[in-house]
Amino acid sequence: MKIQRLFIYPVKSLLPIEVSIAEITSEGFRFDRQYILVRDPRTHPTIRPHLAEHLTVKLVYKLVLFQPSINDDWSELTIKHRTAQPESSITIPLTPSPLSCLEAPSYQVSIFGTEATGVDMGDGPAEFFTKHLDIPTRLLYISGSGSREIPGAAYIPKHRLPLTIRAAGDHFQPQRIRFADAAPFLVTSTASEVDVRSRLPPENQQEDVLLRFRTNIHVDVGSVAPWDEDHWRELTVFAEDGTTPKAIIRCVFKTPRCLSVNADIETGTGSPRRTQVYGLIAKDRRVNKAYPLKPVFGQWSFAGPNGALLRVGDEVRVTERGANDSLRRSIFQGHTKL
């Protein structure tokens, strides 16, 4: 087994950037989901002041029409609207200077019951997204501690799914997240990807369905059967010599999917019924006991140690197996947003 593809999502809910190398941090891959789009709190009040409602693919399919890219020295993030005529894009810092954010307004963003602070990136990005989404929108960058608590943290230890990861060298790091839903990583397999594509009409079977599922780490499992990842609890990633472990990936929860996977990536609308992936996999993939009505694709996961570099082509071995659907439903209550 080897890592086949790696993805980071600098802006939550937009399309990913596929990379050949990615750095593990205690909140996910570096640069992953550090930006988020919210409804303008000045025109869309919420239940309390300074709380902003974030945009999700499930409710705003147009989000899939934005393609981010990073420049060669990893200093700038360009976001292009893929169908706009004339062409339309905006470039912002990949990591804003703290000094540039000192006077900017900030808002709280709540995802699955845990909150993070986001600082407003100004009128330029807001006007760009508002124009293309037809929704008054602000772009926020995660600030404060730069992370938020994992939803359900109080429950996970009771199920022996620790919030720290034993990684190469027996180092431990606390696990938190930025603007991801409920875990720092989503791990998927090539065999299951092929199975999903085989359910599409013949003319659609070359679609890159991973863009719908928002994978971070995609593992080439060779001849292993589809859905074997349901039983993964721990993966070990090895260095180039094939004998030295350099990272541990702890798979903690079979990921229940929502209707966001029905987004048509090409048009930014809902998919026609015959290509609606949610229904195609719901027939036999309702395999998470905590969410018996939702289909599963992939596993929410943690990884370590901090600073480890995962590369396309790295060898991966399953070093522990078991069931990962015993967490209390309340941990991920309301899993409907991406």
Side-chain angles (χ1 to χ4, degrees), residues 86 212 268:
R212 300 205 203 192

Coordinates of all heavy atoms in Angstrom, one line a residue, residues 86 212 268:
P86 N -15.6 37.6 -18.1 CA -14.1 37.3 -18.2 C -13.6 36.7 -17.0 O -14.3 36.6 -16.0 CB -13.5 38.7 -18.4 CG -14.4 39.7 -17.7 CD -15.8 39.1 -17.9
R212 N -15.6 15.3 -4.6 CA -16.8 15.4 -3.9 C -16.6 15.0 -2.4 O -17.3 15.6 -1.6 CB -17.9 14.5 -4.5 CG -18.2 14.7 -6.0 CD -19.6 14.2 -6.3 NE -19.8 13.9 -7.6 CZ -21.1 13.7 -8.1 NH1 -22.1 13.6 -7.3 NH2 -21.2 13.4 -9.4
G268 N -21.5 23.6 -10.5 CA -21.8 24.3 -9.3 C -23.3 24.3 -9.0 O -23.8 25.1 -8.3

